[in-house]
Amino acid sequence: MKKRIKQYLLAILLSPTILLAHQPVMDMAPRWEGGYGFQTRLESFSSNQLKQGTTEVSNPLGLRNEKTTLWLEGVYSFTREHRVSFKLPYTNHFKRVGDGGSTQDLRNEGMGDVIVGFLNKFYVNKKDYTGNISITPSLRLPTGATGGDISIGDGVVDFGLSVSASVESYGFYGMVDFFGWANSIESDGSRNGNSLGLDIDMGIHPYHDMKTNSGVFALMGLNSRIYSKSLNPGGFENQNSGSASIEMVPTLIWYKDNIMVRGQYHMPIYSDMNGSQLQPTSGIQFGVGIVFES
Amino acid sequence: MKNKLIISLFVAVFILGGLPLYASHHKEMSHKHEGNAHAHGKMTHKENQQVPKNQLNKEAPHQIKVRVDGIVCSFCAYGAEKNLSKLSFIDKSYYGDDGVFVDIEKGIVTMALTAKKKADVKSILKALKKGGYTPRELSFVDHGNVIKTIKLDEKEIKK
């Protein structure tokens, strides 16, 4: 039992952070030379369901993991094809971990690791639609604190790559984003699990008012993630880490002129966890974005 | 802490979203006040300058219409619209406050022209291309009648 609880503890401590795909403010706009934009997003995720593989098991100690993050994001378009973006998180993280039948609450908050992306987009414009293929290498820089009860940052530079395609007509929006993160080994030999993600977003544009330049998008996303096993301090593989999951993400976006407001609900539909781990549970996101001409 | 985050988000919403919305509301209110002043026989500053009041729903007498490939989303077309509205021969008293109307359903950008200045087609095409779009066809419209249409070939588009 004690061993299992220690495994739970390690699994929770090394649970990977939520991966982020592109966001509309980064993808749809600004597509004009010299354009720039900002977006804030508040996201909140919590987990209290323990799983072994695909089976839910009891969680007598009430272990849980709650993470709320406020993101400040920005993008600058040198040209339609070349942009640079940043995503800076401010995170509040709470974990209830167990050891020897007792529980311990761990908490930390602070600035996390900033993600810098270099977007390369190849556009096609046709009479009734526009589309692009994007290749985006990213760096996650160690700006977050590594001390405290829970590390907010991992203290090393991580590398990401995204390949995405999107198409948009007056009534339809679709996007496929395939991406991955390779995490570096930290000074104590530990490493978060590497990850692959595939996001598919399809949606409609049910309302647009030409006179006020305002309207609504309604999207349904299917997000899948695969995490490899992480390494414990000392470089040993953590058997209670690594997972595969799929979630549905209904999204509603309202815009007026250069302002976009979005709300998302993350609904898990499948998860397969190595060993014993808390499975990802539902989460919400709310964001506001604004773009400017130069 | 959650409260702090939520408060921070709302502050950000007010800064990023609220001020531009307030500015646009303030502008609309100014136009309404001008209308009221006119009804009461008072002259506004704008009327003194002989600038017609904003004509949201009226077609401009002199227009250039451009059929543009890829212009299907107004949020994405914001930069192109603002770049066009900066051109000196655009009559900003039409189509809201920028003299440019983007019909994303038909893919047509309409610009109201001032009678005083000659329209520069090259600068229109440049603004659309810098905005991320592909102009295909240009029509000059005078009081609702198309008087000239120019189809752009690939060379002109790439220039």
Side-chain angles (χ1 to χ4, degrees):
Chain A
M1 181 68 181
K2 195 172 177 183
K3 189 181 169 192
R4 176 170 286 181
I5 290 170
K6 278 189 175 167
Q7 285 174 341
Y8 292 167
L9 175 85
L10 282 169
I12 296 168
L13 283 172
L14 296 171
S15 63
T17 52
I18 300 290
L19 278 185
L20 290 169
H22 287 298
Q23 300 294 328
V25 165
M26 308 293 173
D27 182 57
M28 294 155 79
R31 59 188 283 160
W32 50 93
E33 279 182 38
Y36 58 99
F38 299 99
Q39 182 168 260
T40 56
R41 283 188 304 114
L42 182 70
E43 63 177 27
S44 185
F45 292 90
S46 64
S47 325
N48 59 8
Q49 290 173 349
L50 211 51
K51 257 193 163 179
Q52 288 178 334
T54 55
T55 309
E56 194 176 333
V57 294
S58 66
N59 180 9
L61 296 177
L63 305 180
R64 56 196 174 98
N65 186 15
E66 294 170 0
K67 197 171 185 180
T68 302
T69 305
L70 182 70
W71 290 88
L72 175 64
E73 303 174 342
V75 60
Y76 179 80
S77 296
F78 299 99
T79 63
R80 182 179 69 173
E81 287 78 15
H82 301 293
R83 302 174 196 175
V84 63
S85 69
F86 75 88
K87 299 178 179 185
L88 181 65
Y90 187 88
T91 300
N92 175 256
H93 201 168
F94 169 82
K95 289 173 178 174
R96 175 162 294 157
V97 296
D99 193 2
S102 62
T103 59
Q104 189 185 358
D105 289 352
L106 306 176
R107 193 184 289 277
N108 202 358
E109 72 174 70
M111 206 72 82
D113 292 342
V114 66
I115 298 169
V116 182
F118 305 92
L119 290 84
N120 301 282
K121 289 181 168 284
F122 306 96
Y123 272 91
V124 59
N125 285 325
K126 294 290 177 190
K127 189 181 174 193
D128 296 321
Y129 69 90
T130 184
N132 72 74
I133 292 173
S134 290
I135 299 172
T136 308
S138 295
L139 292 174
R140 189 159 48 212
L141 305 174
T143 53
T146 53
D149 284 350
I150 311 167
S151 287
I152 300 289
D154 67 3
V156 286
V157 178
D158 303 318
F159 301 91
L161 182 67
S162 150
V163 179
S164 68
S166 76
V167 65
E168 187 178 4
S169 68
Y170 175 66
F172 172 82
Y173 177 80
M175 184 180 192
V176 177
D177 187 10
F178 181 63
F179 58 96
W181 279 99
N183 293 315
S184 302
I185 294 177
E186 297 166 39
S187 55
D188 61 359
S190 65
R191 190 199 66 199
N192 286 333
N194 296 326
S195 50
L196 286 174
L198 176 67
D199 285 0
I200 301 170
D201 284 300
M202 297 278 173
I204 54 169
H205 187 200
Y207 171 71
H208 176 72
D209 183 347
M210 302 274 184
K211 282 175 188 162
T212 59
N213 271 341
S214 59
V216 170
F217 285 98
L219 308 177
M220 181 58 79
L222 198 66
N223 296 353
S224 47
R225 304 280 185 274
I226 296 174
Y227 293 97
S228 69
K229 285 179 180 167
S230 56
L231 299 179
N232 291 335
F236 303 105
E237 202 171 65
N238 178 10
Q239 298 307 315
N240 292 304
S241 65
S243 62
S245 64
I246 301 174
E247 61 178 14
M248 280 178 81
V249 188
T251 303
L252 202 61
I253 298 169
W254 171 87
Y255 63 87
K256 176 169 168 46
D257 293 328
N258 57 334
I259 297 165
M260 182 180 268
V261 179
R262 53 191 268 122
Q264 273 190 339
Y265 181 66
H266 291 249
M267 201 163 37
I269 54 175
Y270 170 80
S271 60
D272 185 358
M273 321 297 287
N274 293 330
S276 297
Q277 296 182 67
L278 290 169
Q279 73 160 340
T281 47
S282 58
I284 53 163
Q285 273 196 47
F286 177 74
V288 181
I290 186 164
V291 288
F292 301 93
E293 83 274 22
S294 55
Chain B
M1 175 53 209
K2 266 188 184 174
N3 289 343
K4 271 190 203 170
L5 285 174
I6 289 165
I7 289 166
S8 309
L9 181 77
F10 277 110
V11 170
V13 168
F14 272 109
I15 293 169
L16 293 179
L19 289 178
L21 279 176
Y22 172 77
S24 117
H25 175 71
H26 184 70
K27 209 173 274 178
E28 279 172 25
M29 291 305 286
S30 300
H31 291 312
K32 280 183 188 168
H33 287 315
E34 280 163 26
N36 291 339
H38 187 75
H40 288 90
K42 293 175 189 169
M43 291 290 281
T44 65
H45 175 64
K46 274 197 170 179
E47 282 169 333
N48 278 332
Q49 291 181 319
Q50 296 194 328
V51 176
K53 66 181 178 181
N54 197 303
Q55 302 174 64
L56 252 176
N57 300 312
K58 287 187 182 174
E59 284 290 314
H62 309 289
Q63 303 171 335
I64 286 184
K65 285 180 183 277
V66 188
R67 187 170 68 72
V68 181
D69 279 1
I71 201 155
V72 294
C73 153
S74 70
F75 185 71
C76 319
Y78 180 80
E81 186 172 344
K82 290 297 163 195
N83 282 338
L84 287 168
S85 77
K86 284 178 190 167
L87 300 175
S88 61
F89 49 85
I90 300 293
D91 185 345
K92 294 180 181 62
S93 64
Y94 287 89
Y95 311 131
D97 57 2
D98 62 7
V100 180
F101 180 74
V102 180
D103 184 337
I104 56 170
E105 192 171 7
K106 293 176 182 161
I108 292 174
V109 177
T110 303
M111 286 150 276
L113 305 177
T114 59
K116 293 172 191 168
K117 286 189 177 176
K118 196 182 170 191
D120 177 8
V121 170
K122 274 186 188 169
S123 60
I124 291 174
L125 300 183
K126 191 177 171 189
L128 284 165
K129 283 187 274 185
K130 276 180 79 174
Y133 296 102
T134 312
R136 287 288 176 193
E137 192 178 283
L138 230 121
S139 299
F140 294 83
V141 180
D142 186 51
H143 291 89
N145 301 312
V146 177
I147 53 172
K148 188 181 177 186
T149 296
I150 304 168
K151 284 194 179 173
L152 303 165
D153 59 29
E154 290 301 322
K155 264 188 187 174
E156 282 168 311
I157 291 165
K158 283 177 185 168
K159 259 182 200 173

